[in-house]
DNA sequence: ACACGATTTTGACGTACGTACAATCAAGTG
DNA sequence: CACTTGATTGTACGTACGTCAAAATCGTGT
């Protein structure tokens, strides 16, 4: 394993354990077993390394979410939302580190053009893919505007639930309830709905 | 205006303009026109001041959201979701500073018990109030579990849209589309729905 | 064996950091 | 006025910071 990879891994660990603001170049060197000056050699600066590590973590989390939501595409269309929310909520505890690192990335977006542009592009792509998956159609087989709406909403749910999870991991309702809440929010006044009421 | 208040205001300005990680005690002193040593006197430490400023901003943003969503309570129940989303999205550009400061607060939650507990409590309360407002009922007149689901979903939408707004302010759909997307997501296959399709 | 580019290691430099402490000031109280 | 209490200011301490230059080491082709 090259020092470059070690440093990226160490930077991510620091991102999760100490946060962006409290991580020093020496922390990364120690956490990665590499040497302080290698940061400058491989990444130019400590901030560049941190941003890269944050982006990498965000990207990985995106992959996890994609897998989780993709599971819903196979489901009965009626159950699709419920499955997607359940999978999403179930994945959060196992991916806490990635979620924390992603919140650190979001917080840096406002102050670094590179990281903001990368996150914006990732967000755009996530919306498209999430929309396609939730609707169970191909990416190309969508009305662009409508898909953007669906993708934005699903992405907002993902990010919003992730933030709430970081703030208070034990107070999130389960997927059934979240799905039911979305239906109710949409004005779904079906007399039966579910058995939880 | 006391130096205490000046420092809080200056800390918030720095939070928005430089971010949590890049703000130094001297930045705050300069931005507030106060003296460096006053930070320790009034707040104990620079981090304590920053956390307080971040929490204050989050709380103010919560008030703004509350006002925006409350406007939907007066609306026709059928239009309620659409009004709430429109008001929410319309408020974002005017509150960009508060939104940015809030993302900074979220990013610190994992690493400071005080700020995490405060944000978790604010989140809990926001869910309850948002649920009551969106449903147009009194806070006490709700099934606790169902309200928690609704509140969680609305809160997730608020936070999720805010994050997307920070990443890319120009790519958010309007309230109509977001509301329509929620309906579609919920399986709302009404043949008419709205004119956007 | 040698050369040479890429990487790793050493060491240190200059600086900017947060905080502590004493001095000073402003108001209130007898 | 003398005294107390709280707020503000001036200053400096010790340290931890990010970065760099140069030396050492490695890898590989010849």
């Amino acid at each position: 394993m090259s020092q470059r990879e070690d440093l990226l891994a160490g930077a991510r660990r620091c991102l999760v354990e100490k946060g962006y603001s409290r991580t020093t170049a020496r922390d990364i060197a120690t956490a990665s077993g590499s040497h302080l000056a290698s940061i400058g050699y491989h990444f130019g600066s400590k901030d560049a390394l941190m941003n890269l590590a944050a982006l990498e973590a965000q990207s990985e989390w995106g992959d996890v979410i994609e897998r989780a939501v993709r599971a819903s595409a196979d489901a009965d269309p009626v159950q699709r939302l419920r499955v997607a929310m359940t999978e999403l909520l179930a994945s959060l505890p196992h991916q806490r580190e990635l979620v924390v690192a992603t919140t650190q990335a979001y917080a840096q977006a406002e102050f670094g053009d590179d990281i903001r542009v990368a996150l914006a592009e990732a967000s755009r792509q996530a919306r498209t893919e999430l929309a396609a998956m939730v609707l169970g159609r191909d990416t190309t087989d969508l009305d662009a505007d409508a898909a953007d709406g669906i993708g934005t909403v699903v992405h907002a749910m993902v990010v919003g639930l992730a933030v709430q999870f970081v703030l208070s991991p034990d107070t999130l309702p389960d997927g059934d309830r979240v799905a039911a809440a979305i239906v109710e929010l949409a004005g779904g006044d079906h007399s039966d709905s579910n058995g939880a009421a």
Side-chain angles (χ1 to χ4, degrees), chain A residues 22-193:
Chain A
R22 289 171 175 77
T23 295
T24 73
R26 284 170 175 83
D27 288 335
I28 302 173
T30 301
S32 66
S34 300
H35 282 262
L36 182 59
S38 302
I39 296 170
Y41 177 77
H42 286 292
F43 302 94
S45 73
K46 169 225 169 195
D47 268 17
L49 166 56
M50 291 291 282
N51 288 347
L52 205 57
L55 279 175
E56 218 186 37
Q58 193 276 336
S59 174
E60 277 187 37
W61 185 53
D63 293 344
V64 171
I65 293 301
E66 188 176 326
R67 272 197 297 279
V69 175
R70 197 178 291 284
S72 72
D74 304 330
D76 176 353
V78 176
Q79 305 281 321
R80 193 166 284 162
L81 176 65
R82 206 176 56 77
V83 172
M85 289 299 122
T86 300
E87 290 288 327
L88 166 59
L89 285 166
S91 76
L92 287 176
H94 303 106
Q95 306 298 335
R96 174 164 240 275
E97 295 189 358
L98 288 180
V99 174
V100 170
T102 300
T103 65
Q104 302 294 299
Y106 290 153
Q108 295 306 316
E110 179 72 7
F111 311 105
D113 288 345
D114 289 356
I115 191 169
R116 181 182 57 252
V117 168
L119 287 174
E121 169 58 19
S123 171
R124 191 199 59 75
Q125 190 174 336
R127 285 189 230 176
T128 305
E129 292 179 359
L130 286 172
M133 284 189 285
V134 166
L135 294 172
R137 292 180 230 158
D138 193 63
T139 315
T140 58
D141 186 26
L142 293 170
D143 173 55
D145 285 341
D148 196 47
I150 294 268
T152 299
V153 168
V154 176
H155 191 220
M157 287 299 304
V158 169
V159 173
L161 290 175
V163 169
Q164 291 185 58
F165 174 72
V166 171
L167 297 184
S168 180
D170 302 323
T171 63
L172 282 184
D174 62 20
D176 285 4
R177 203 176 298 283
V178 169
I182 292 174
V183 172
E184 187 173 354
L185 196 62
D189 39 1
H190 318 296
S191 52
D192 53 327
S193 63

